[in-house]
Amino acid sequence: MATLRFEGGHASGSDGCNRFSTRYQSDARQLRFQAPAVTRMMCPSEGLIEQEQAFLKAPSTVAGTRHEGDRLELRKAEGALAVTLVREGRE
């Protein structure tokens, strides 16, 4: 399972195999991420490698957010969905 934690301009988590860390900036309309620092562990399966690549690429495409209940959607400039995040401990 991929995770992402936001804390005071710093975001970190796991893509399901490797851990990552990055800085972010946000204002009322935009959310921008810097390139992440990522560990380089060997992922056990092909599907996990593809998930990892997609998850790590998504923040660089984010231009805005949409928040609804326990869900946070990271959206691209044209409005397309990049990632949906669910608050930890909730489904």
Coordinates of all heavy atoms in Angstrom, one line a residue:
M1 N 0.8 -1.2 0.0 CA 0.0 0.0 0.0 C 0.9 1.2 0.0 O 1.8 1.3 0.7 CB -0.9 0.0 1.2 CG -1.6 1.3 1.4 SD -2.8 1.6 2.7 CE -2.4 0.6 4.0
A2 N 0.5 2.2 -0.8 CA 1.3 3.5 -0.9 C 0.8 4.4 0.2 O -0.4 4.4 0.5 CB 1.1 4.1 -2.3
T3 N 1.7 5.2 0.8 CA 1.3 6.2 1.8 C 1.9 7.5 1.5 O 3.0 7.6 0.8 CB 1.7 5.7 3.2 OG1 3.2 5.6 3.2 CG2 1.1 4.3 3.6
L4 N 1.3 8.6 2.0 CA 1.9 9.9 1.9 C 1.5 10.7 3.1 O 0.3 10.7 3.5 CB 1.3 10.6 0.6 CG 1.8 12.0 0.3 CD1 3.3 12.1 0.1 CD2 1.1 12.5 -0.9
R5 N 2.4 11.3 3.7 CA 2.2 12.1 4.9 C 2.7 13.5 4.7 O 3.8 13.7 4.2 CB 2.9 11.5 6.1 CG 2.9 12.5 7.3 CD 3.5 11.8 8.5 NE 2.5 11.0 9.1 CZ 2.6 10.1 10.0 NH1 3.8 9.8 10.4 NH2 1.6 9.4 10.5
F6 N 1.8 14.5 5.0 CA 2.2 15.9 4.8 C 2.5 16.5 6.2 O 1.7 16.3 7.1 CB 1.0 16.7 4.3 CG 0.6 16.4 2.8 CD1 -0.3 15.4 2.5 CD2 1.3 17.1 1.8 CE1 -0.6 15.1 1.2 CE2 0.9 16.8 0.5 CZ 0.0 15.8 0.2
E7 N 3.6 17.2 6.3 CA 3.9 17.8 7.6 C 4.8 19.1 7.4 O 5.9 19.0 7.1 CB 4.7 16.8 8.5 CG 4.2 16.8 9.9 CD 4.9 15.6 10.6 OE1 4.8 14.5 10.2 OE2 5.6 15.9 11.6
G8 N 4.2 20.2 7.6 CA 4.9 21.5 7.6 C 5.9 21.7 6.4 O 7.0 22.0 6.5
G9 N 5.4 21.5 5.2 CA 6.2 21.7 4.0 C 7.0 20.5 3.5 O 7.7 20.6 2.6
H10 N 6.8 19.4 4.3 CA 7.6 18.2 4.0 C 6.6 17.1 3.7 O 5.6 17.0 4.5 CB 8.5 17.9 5.1 CG 9.3 16.7 4.9 ND1 9.1 15.5 5.5 CD2 10.5 16.5 4.2 CE1 10.0 14.6 5.1 NE2 10.8 15.2 4.3
A11 N 6.7 16.3 2.7 CA 5.9 15.1 2.5 C 6.8 13.9 2.4 O 7.9 13.9 1.8 CB 5.1 15.3 1.1
S12 N 6.3 12.8 3.0 CA 7.1 11.6 2.9 C 6.1 10.4 3.0 O 5.0 10.5 3.3 CB 8.0 11.5 4.1 OG 7.3 11.5 5.4
G13 N 6.7 9.2 2.7 CA 5.8 8.0 2.7 C 6.5 6.9 2.0 O 7.7 6.8 1.9
S14 N 5.7 6.0 1.5 CA 6.1 4.8 0.9 C 5.3 4.6 -0.4 O 4.1 4.9 -0.4 CB 5.9 3.5 1.8 OG 6.1 2.4 1.1
D15 N 5.9 4.1 -1.4 CA 5.2 3.8 -2.7 C 4.8 2.4 -2.8 O 4.4 1.9 -3.8 CB 6.1 4.2 -3.9 CG 7.4 3.5 -3.9 OD1 7.5 2.4 -3.4 OD2 8.4 4.1 -4.5
G16 N 4.9 1.7 -1.7 CA 4.6 0.2 -1.7 C 5.9 -0.6 -1.6 O 5.8 -1.8 -1.3
C17 N 7.0 -0.1 -2.0 CA 8.3 -0.8 -2.0 C 9.3 0.1 -1.4 O 10.0 -0.3 -0.4 CB 8.6 -1.2 -3.4 SG 10.2 -2.1 -3.5
N18 N 9.5 1.3 -1.9 CA 10.6 2.2 -1.5 C 10.0 3.4 -0.7 O 8.8 3.7 -0.8 CB 11.3 2.8 -2.7 CG 12.3 1.8 -3.2 OD1 13.3 1.4 -2.6 ND2 12.0 1.2 -4.4
R19 N 10.8 4.0 0.2 CA 10.4 5.2 0.9 C 10.8 6.4 0.1 O 11.8 6.3 -0.6 CB 11.0 5.1 2.3 CG 10.5 3.9 3.1 CD 10.5 4.0 4.5 NE 10.0 5.2 5.1 CZ 8.7 5.5 5.3 NH1 7.8 4.7 4.8 NH2 8.3 6.6 5.9
F20 N 10.1 7.5 0.3 CA 10.5 8.7 -0.4 C 10.2 9.9 0.5 O 9.5 9.8 1.5 CB 9.7 8.9 -1.7 CG 8.2 9.0 -1.5 CD1 7.7 10.3 -1.3 CD2 7.4 7.9 -1.4 CE1 6.3 10.5 -1.0 CE2 6.0 8.1 -1.1 CZ 5.5 9.3 -1.0
S21 N 10.8 11.0 0.1 CA 10.7 12.3 0.9 C 10.8 13.4 -0.1 O 11.6 13.4 -1.1 CB 11.9 12.3 1.9 OG 11.9 13.6 2.5
T22 N 10.0 14.5 0.1 CA 10.1 15.6 -0.8 C 9.6 16.9 0.0 O 9.0 16.8 1.1 CB 9.2 15.4 -2.0 OG1 9.4 16.5 -2.9 CG2 7.7 15.2 -1.7
R23 N 9.8 18.0 -0.6 CA 9.3 19.3 0.0 C 8.1 19.7 -0.9 O 8.0 19.3 -2.1 CB 10.3 20.4 -0.1 CG 11.6 20.1 0.5 CD 11.8 20.3 2.0 NE 11.3 21.6 2.5 CZ 10.8 21.8 3.7 NH1 10.7 20.8 4.5 NH2 10.5 23.0 4.1
Y24 N 7.1 20.4 -0.3 CA 6.0 20.9 -1.1 C 5.7 22.3 -0.7 O 6.0 22.7 0.4 CB 4.8 20.0 -1.0 CG 4.1 20.0 0.4 CD1 3.1 21.0 0.6 CD2 4.5 19.2 1.4 CE1 2.5 21.0 1.9 CE2 3.9 19.3 2.7 CZ 2.9 20.2 2.9 OH 2.3 20.2 4.1
Q25 N 5.0 23.0 -1.6 CA 4.5 24.3 -1.3 C 3.0 24.4 -1.7 O 2.6 23.7 -2.7 CB 5.2 25.4 -2.2 CG 6.7 25.5 -1.9 CD 7.4 26.5 -2.8 OE1 7.0 26.6 -4.0 NE2 8.3 27.3 -2.3
S26 N 2.2 25.0 -0.9 CA 0.8 25.1 -1.2 C 0.3 26.5 -0.9 O 0.8 27.2 0.0 CB 0.0 24.1 -0.4 OG 0.1 24.3 1.0
D27 N -0.8 26.9 -1.6 CA -1.5 28.1 -1.3 C -3.0 27.7 -1.5 O -3.3 26.6 -1.7 CB -1.0 29.3 -2.1 CG -1.1 29.1 -3.6 OD1 -2.1 28.4 -4.1 OD2 -0.2 29.5 -4.3
A28 N -3.8 28.7 -1.5 CA -5.3 28.4 -1.7 C -5.7 27.7 -3.0 O -6.7 27.1 -3.0 CB -6.0 29.8 -1.5
R29 N -4.8 27.9 -4.0 CA -5.2 27.3 -5.3 C -4.3 26.2 -5.8 O -4.7 25.5 -6.7 CB -5.3 28.4 -6.3 CG -6.4 29.4 -6.0 CD -6.5 30.4 -7.1 NE -5.2 31.1 -7.3 CZ -4.9 32.0 -8.1 NH1 -5.8 32.5 -8.9 NH2 -3.7 32.5 -8.2
Q30 N -3.1 26.2 -5.3 CA -2.1 25.2 -5.9 C -1.3 24.4 -4.9 O -1.2 24.9 -3.8 CB -1.1 26.0 -6.8 CG -1.6 26.5 -8.1 CD -0.5 27.1 -8.9 OE1 0.4 27.8 -8.4 NE2 -0.5 26.7 -10.2
L31 N -0.8 23.3 -5.3 CA 0.0 22.4 -4.6 C 1.1 22.0 -5.5 O 0.9 21.5 -6.6 CB -0.8 21.2 -4.1 CG 0.0 20.2 -3.3 CD1 0.5 20.8 -2.0 CD2 -0.9 19.0 -3.0
R32 N 2.4 22.3 -5.1 CA 3.5 22.0 -5.9 C 4.6 21.1 -5.1 O 4.9 21.5 -4.0 CB 4.2 23.2 -6.4 CG 3.3 24.0 -7.4 CD 3.9 25.4 -7.7 NE 4.1 26.3 -6.6 CZ 3.1 26.9 -6.0 NH1 1.9 26.8 -6.3 NH2 3.4 27.7 -4.9
F33 N 5.1 20.1 -5.7 CA 6.1 19.2 -5.1 C 7.4 19.4 -5.8 O 7.5 19.5 -7.0 CB 5.7 17.7 -5.3 CG 4.4 17.4 -4.5 CD1 3.2 17.5 -5.0 CD2 4.6 16.9 -3.2 CE1 2.1 17.1 -4.3 CE2 3.4 16.5 -2.5 CZ 2.2 16.6 -3.0
Q34 N 8.5 19.2 -5.0 CA 9.8 19.1 -5.6 C 10.1 17.7 -5.9 O 9.3 16.8 -5.5 CB 10.9 19.6 -4.6 CG 10.8 21.1 -4.3 CD 11.9 21.5 -3.2 OE1 12.6 20.7 -2.7 NE2 11.9 22.8 -3.0
A35 N 11.1 17.4 -6.7 CA 11.5 16.0 -7.0 C 11.8 15.2 -5.7 O 12.5 15.8 -4.9 CB 12.7 16.0 -8.0
P36 N 11.3 14.0 -5.6 CA 11.5 13.3 -4.3 C 12.8 12.6 -4.3 O 13.4 12.2 -5.3 CB 10.4 12.2 -4.4 CG 10.1 12.0 -5.8 CD 10.4 13.3 -6.5
A37 N 13.3 12.4 -3.1 CA 14.5 11.6 -2.8 C 13.9 10.2 -2.5 O 12.9 10.1 -1.7 CB 15.3 12.1 -1.6
V38 N 14.4 9.1 -3.1 CA 13.8 7.8 -3.0 C 14.8 6.8 -2.7 O 15.9 6.8 -3.2 CB 13.1 7.4 -4.4 CG1 12.4 6.1 -4.3 CG2 12.1 8.5 -4.8
T39 N 14.5 5.9 -1.8 CA 15.4 4.7 -1.5 C 15.4 3.8 -2.8 O 14.5 3.9 -3.6 CB 15.0 3.9 -0.3 OG1 13.6 3.4 -0.5 CG2 15.0 4.8 1.0
R40 N 16.4 3.0 -2.9 CA 16.5 2.1 -4.1 C 16.5 0.6 -3.7 O 17.4 -0.1 -4.1 CB 17.8 2.5 -4.8 CG 17.8 3.9 -5.3 CD 16.8 4.0 -6.5 NE 16.9 5.4 -7.0 CZ 15.9 6.0 -7.6 NH1 14.8 5.3 -7.8 NH2 16.0 7.2 -8.0
M41 N 15.4 0.2 -3.0 CA 15.3 -1.2 -2.7 C 14.8 -2.0 -3.9 O 14.1 -1.5 -4.7 CB 14.4 -1.4 -1.5 CG 15.0 -0.7 -0.2 SD 13.9 -0.6 1.2 CE 13.0 -2.1 1.2
M42 N 15.1 -3.3 -3.9 CA 14.6 -4.2 -5.0 C 13.1 -4.5 -4.7 O 12.8 -5.0 -3.7 CB 15.4 -5.4 -5.0 CG 15.0 -6.4 -6.1 SD 15.6 -5.8 -7.7 CE 16.5 -7.2 -8.2
C43 N 12.2 -4.2 -5.6 CA 10.8 -4.5 -5.5 C 10.5 -5.9 -5.9 O 11.1 -6.4 -6.9 CB 10.0 -3.5 -6.3 SG 10.1 -1.8 -5.8
P44 N 9.7 -6.6 -5.1 CA 9.5 -8.1 -5.3 C 8.7 -8.5 -6.6 O 8.8 -9.6 -7.0 CB 8.8 -8.5 -4.1 CG 8.1 -7.3 -3.6 CD 9.0 -6.1 -4.0
S45 N 7.9 -7.5 -7.2 CA 7.1 -8.0 -8.3 C 7.0 -6.9 -9.3 O 7.1 -5.7 -9.1 CB 5.7 -8.4 -7.8 OG 5.0 -7.2 -7.5
E46 N 6.7 -7.3 -10.6 CA 6.6 -6.4 -11.7 C 5.5 -5.4 -11.4 O 5.6 -4.2 -11.7 CB 6.3 -7.2 -13.0 CG 6.2 -6.3 -14.2 CD 7.6 -5.9 -14.7 OE1 8.6 -6.5 -14.4 OE2 7.6 -4.9 -15.5
G47 N 4.3 -5.8 -11.0 CA 3.2 -4.9 -10.7 C 3.5 -3.8 -9.7 O 3.1 -2.7 -9.8
L48 N 4.3 -4.2 -8.7 CA 4.7 -3.2 -7.7 C 5.6 -2.2 -8.3 O 5.6 -1.0 -7.9 CB 5.4 -3.9 -6.5 CG 5.5 -3.1 -5.2 CD1 4.2 -2.5 -4.8 CD2 6.1 -4.0 -4.1
I49 N 6.5 -2.6 -9.2 CA 7.4 -1.6 -9.8 C 6.6 -0.6 -10.6 O 6.9 0.6 -10.6 CB 8.4 -2.4 -10.7 CG1 9.4 -3.2 -9.9 CG2 9.2 -1.4 -11.6 CD1 10.2 -4.2 -10.6
E50 N 5.6 -1.1 -11.4 CA 4.8 -0.2 -12.2 C 4.0 0.8 -11.3 O 3.9 2.0 -11.5 CB 3.8 -1.0 -13.0 CG 4.5 -1.7 -14.1 CD 3.6 -2.7 -14.8 OE1 2.5 -3.0 -14.4 OE2 4.1 -3.3 -15.8
Q51 N 3.5 0.3 -10.1 CA 2.8 1.1 -9.2 C 3.7 2.2 -8.6 O 3.3 3.3 -8.5 CB 2.2 0.3 -8.0 CG 1.6 1.1 -6.9 CD 1.2 0.2 -5.7 OE1 0.5 -0.7 -5.8 NE2 1.7 0.6 -4.5
E52 N 4.9 1.8 -8.3 CA 5.9 2.7 -7.7 C 6.2 3.8 -8.7 O 6.2 5.0 -8.3 CB 7.2 1.9 -7.4 CG 8.3 2.8 -7.0 CD 9.6 2.1 -6.8 OE1 10.0 1.2 -7.7 OE2 10.3 2.3 -5.8
Q53 N 6.4 3.5 -10.0 CA 6.7 4.5 -11.0 C 5.6 5.5 -11.2 O 5.8 6.7 -11.2 CB 7.1 3.8 -12.3 CG 8.4 3.1 -12.2 CD 8.7 2.3 -13.4 OE1 7.8 2.0 -14.2 NE2 10.0 1.8 -13.6
A54 N 4.4 5.0 -11.2 CA 3.2 5.8 -11.4 C 3.0 6.7 -10.2 O 2.7 7.9 -10.3 CB 2.0 5.0 -11.7
F55 N 3.1 6.2 -9.0 CA 2.9 7.0 -7.8 C 4.0 8.1 -7.6 O 3.6 9.2 -7.2 CB 2.9 6.0 -6.6 CG 2.6 6.7 -5.3 CD1 1.3 7.1 -5.0 CD2 3.5 7.0 -4.3 CE1 0.9 7.7 -3.8 CE2 3.2 7.6 -3.1 CZ 1.9 8.0 -2.9
L56 N 5.2 7.8 -7.9 CA 6.3 8.8 -7.8 C 6.2 9.8 -8.9 O 6.6 11.0 -8.7 CB 7.7 8.1 -7.8 CG 8.0 7.3 -6.5 CD1 9.3 6.5 -6.7 CD2 8.0 8.2 -5.3
K57 N 5.7 9.5 -10.0 CA 5.5 10.5 -11.1 C 4.4 11.4 -10.9 O 4.4 12.6 -11.2 CB 5.3 9.8 -12.4 CG 5.2 10.7 -13.6 CD 5.0 9.9 -14.9 CE 4.8 10.9 -16.0 NZ 4.3 10.3 -17.2
A58 N 3.3 11.0 -10.2 CA 2.1 11.8 -10.1 C 2.3 13.1 -9.4 O 1.8 14.1 -9.9 CB 1.1 11.0 -9.3
P59 N 3.1 13.3 -8.3 CA 3.2 14.6 -7.7 C 3.8 15.7 -8.6 O 3.4 16.8 -8.5 CB 4.1 14.3 -6.5 CG 3.8 12.9 -6.1 CD 3.6 12.2 -7.4
S60 N 4.6 15.3 -9.5 CA 5.2 16.3 -10.4 C 4.2 16.8 -11.4 O 4.4 17.9 -12.0 CB 6.4 15.7 -11.2 OG 5.9 14.7 -12.1
T61 N 3.0 16.2 -11.5 CA 2.0 16.7 -12.4 C 0.9 17.4 -11.7 O 0.0 17.9 -12.3 CB 1.3 15.5 -13.2 OG1 0.6 14.7 -12.2 CG2 2.3 14.6 -13.9
V62 N 0.9 17.5 -10.4 CA -0.1 18.1 -9.6 C -0.1 19.6 -9.7 O 0.9 20.3 -9.5 CB 0.0 17.7 -8.1 CG1 -1.0 18.4 -7.2 CG2 -0.3 16.2 -8.0
A63 N -1.3 20.2 -9.9 CA -1.5 21.6 -9.9 C -2.5 22.1 -8.9 O -2.4 23.2 -8.5 CB -2.0 22.1 -11.3
G64 N -3.3 21.2 -8.4 CA -4.3 21.6 -7.4 C -4.9 20.4 -6.7 O -4.5 19.3 -6.9
T65 N -5.8 20.7 -5.8 CA -6.4 19.6 -5.0 C -7.9 19.8 -4.9 O -8.5 20.9 -5.2 CB -5.9 19.7 -3.5 OG1 -6.3 20.9 -2.9 CG2 -4.4 19.5 -3.5
R66 N -8.5 18.7 -4.5 CA -10.0 18.7 -4.2 C -10.1 17.9 -3.0 O -9.7 16.7 -2.9 CB -10.8 18.1 -5.4 CG -12.2 18.2 -5.1 CD -13.0 17.7 -6.4 NE -14.2 17.2 -6.0 CZ -14.9 16.4 -6.7 NH1 -14.5 16.0 -7.9 NH2 -16.1 15.9 -6.3
H67 N -10.7 18.4 -1.9 CA -10.9 17.7 -0.6 C -12.4 17.4 -0.4 O -13.2 18.3 -0.5 CB -10.3 18.6 0.5 CG -10.4 18.0 1.8 ND1 -11.3 18.3 2.7 CD2 -9.6 17.0 2.4 CE1 -11.1 17.6 3.8 NE2 -10.1 16.8 3.6
E68 N -12.7 16.2 0.0 CA -14.0 15.8 0.3 C -14.0 14.7 1.3 O -13.5 13.6 1.1 CB -14.7 15.3 -1.0 CG -16.2 15.1 -0.9 CD -16.9 14.7 -2.2 OE1 -16.6 15.5 -3.2 OE2 -17.6 13.7 -2.2
G69 N -14.5 15.1 2.5 CA -14.5 14.1 3.6 C -13.1 13.7 4.0 O -12.2 14.5 4.2
D70 N -12.9 12.4 3.9 CA -11.5 11.8 4.2 C -10.7 11.6 3.0 O -9.6 11.1 3.1 CB -11.7 10.4 4.9 CG -12.3 10.5 6.3 OD1 -12.1 11.6 6.9 OD2 -12.8 9.5 6.8
R71 N -11.1 12.1 1.9 CA -10.4 11.9 0.6 C -9.8 13.3 0.2 O -10.4 14.3 0.3 CB -11.3 11.4 -0.5 CG -11.8 10.1 -0.3 CD -12.6 9.6 -1.5 NE -13.1 8.2 -1.2 CZ -12.4 7.1 -1.5 NH1 -11.2 7.2 -2.0 NH2 -13.0 6.0 -1.2
L72 N -8.6 13.2 -0.3 CA -7.9 14.3 -0.9 C -7.5 13.9 -2.3 O -6.7 12.9 -2.5 CB -6.6 14.7 -0.1 CG -5.7 15.8 -0.7 CD1 -6.5 17.1 -0.8 CD2 -4.4 15.9 0.1
E73 N -8.0 14.6 -3.3 CA -7.6 14.3 -4.7 C -6.5 15.3 -5.2 O -6.7 16.5 -5.0 CB -8.8 14.4 -5.6 CG -9.9 13.4 -5.3 CD -11.1 13.6 -6.2 OE1 -11.3 14.7 -6.8 OE2 -12.0 12.7 -6.2
L74 N -5.5 14.8 -5.7 CA -4.4 15.6 -6.3 C -4.7 15.7 -7.8 O -4.8 14.6 -8.4 CB -3.0 15.0 -6.0 CG -2.7 14.8 -4.6 CD1 -1.2 14.3 -4.4 CD2 -2.8 16.1 -3.7
R75 N -4.9 16.9 -8.3 CA -5.4 17.0 -9.7 C -4.3 17.7 -10.5 O -3.6 18.6 -10.1 CB -6.7 17.8 -9.7 CG -7.8 17.1 -8.9 CD -9.0 17.0 -9.8 NE -9.9 16.1 -9.3 CZ -10.5 15.2 -10.0 NH1 -10.3 15.1 -11.3 NH2 -11.4 14.4 -9.5
K76 N -4.3 17.3 -11.8 CA -3.4 18.0 -12.8 C -4.0 19.3 -13.2 O -5.2 19.6 -12.9 CB -3.3 17.0 -14.0 CG -2.7 15.7 -13.7 CD -2.6 14.8 -14.9 CE -2.1 13.4 -14.5 NZ -2.0 12.6 -15.7
A77 N -3.2 20.1 -14.0 CA -3.6 21.4 -14.4 C -4.9 21.4 -15.2 O -5.8 22.3 -15.0 CB -2.5 22.1 -15.2
E78 N -5.1 20.4 -16.0 CA -6.3 20.3 -16.8 C -7.5 19.7 -16.0 O -8.6 19.5 -16.6 CB -6.1 19.6 -18.1 CG -5.8 18.1 -18.0 CD -4.4 17.7 -17.6 OE1 -3.6 18.6 -17.3 OE2 -4.1 16.5 -17.5
G79 N -7.3 19.4 -14.8 CA -8.4 18.9 -13.9 C -8.4 17.4 -13.8 O -9.1 16.8 -13.0
A80 N -7.6 16.7 -14.6 CA -7.6 15.2 -14.5 C -7.0 14.7 -13.2 O -6.2 15.4 -12.6 CB -6.7 14.6 -15.6
L81 N -7.5 13.6 -12.7 CA -7.1 13.1 -11.4 C -5.6 12.5 -11.5 O -5.4 11.7 -12.4 CB -8.0 12.0 -11.0 CG -7.8 11.3 -9.7 CD1 -7.9 12.3 -8.5 CD2 -8.7 10.1 -9.5
A82 N -4.8 12.9 -10.6 CA -3.4 12.3 -10.6 C -3.3 11.2 -9.5 O -2.8 10.1 -9.8 CB -2.4 13.4 -10.3
V83 N -3.8 11.5 -8.3 CA -3.8 10.6 -7.2 C -5.0 10.9 -6.3 O -5.3 12.0 -6.0 CB -2.5 10.7 -6.4 CG1 -2.5 9.8 -5.1 CG2 -1.3 10.4 -7.2
T84 N -5.6 9.8 -5.7 CA -6.6 10.0 -4.7 C -6.0 9.4 -3.4 O -5.5 8.3 -3.4 CB -7.9 9.2 -5.0 OG1 -8.5 9.7 -6.2 CG2 -8.9 9.3 -3.8
L85 N -6.0 10.2 -2.3 CA -5.4 9.8 -1.0 C -6.6 9.7 0.0 O -7.5 10.5 -0.1 CB -4.5 10.9 -0.5 CG -3.3 11.2 -1.5 CD1 -2.6 12.5 -1.0 CD2 -2.3 10.0 -1.5
V86 N -6.5 8.7 0.9 CA -7.5 8.5 1.9 C -6.8 8.6 3.2 O -5.8 8.0 3.4 CB -8.2 7.1 1.7 CG1 -9.2 6.9 2.8 CG2 -8.8 7.0 0.4
R87 N -7.4 9.4 4.2 CA -6.8 9.6 5.5 C -6.6 8.2 6.1 O -7.4 7.3 6.1 CB -7.8 10.3 6.4 CG -7.2 10.7 7.7 CD -8.2 11.4 8.6 NE -8.7 12.6 8.0 CZ -8.1 13.8 8.1 NH1 -7.1 14.0 8.9 NH2 -8.6 14.9 7.5
E88 N -5.4 8.1 6.7 CA -4.9 6.8 7.3 C -5.9 6.3 8.4 O -6.5 7.1 9.1 CB -3.6 7.1 8.0 CG -2.9 5.8 8.5 CD -1.5 6.1 9.0 OE1 -1.4 7.0 9.9 OE2 -0.6 5.4 8.6
G89 N -6.1 5.0 8.3 CA -7.1 4.4 9.3 C -8.5 4.4 8.8 O -9.4 4.0 9.5
R90 N -8.7 4.9 7.6 CA -10.1 5.0 7.0 C -10.1 4.3 5.7 O -9.1 4.3 5.0 CB -10.5 6.5 6.8 CG -10.2 7.4 8.0 CD -11.3 7.5 8.9 NE -10.9 8.1 10.2 CZ -11.2 9.4 10.5 NH1 -11.9 10.1 9.6 NH2 -10.9 9.9 11.6
E91 N -11.2 3.9 5.2 CA -11.3 3.3 3.9 C -12.3 4.1 3.0 O -13.2 4.6 3.4 CB -11.8 1.8 4.0 CG -10.8 1.0 4.8 CD -9.8 0.3 3.9 OE1 -10.1 0.0 2.7 OE2 -8.7 0.0 4.4

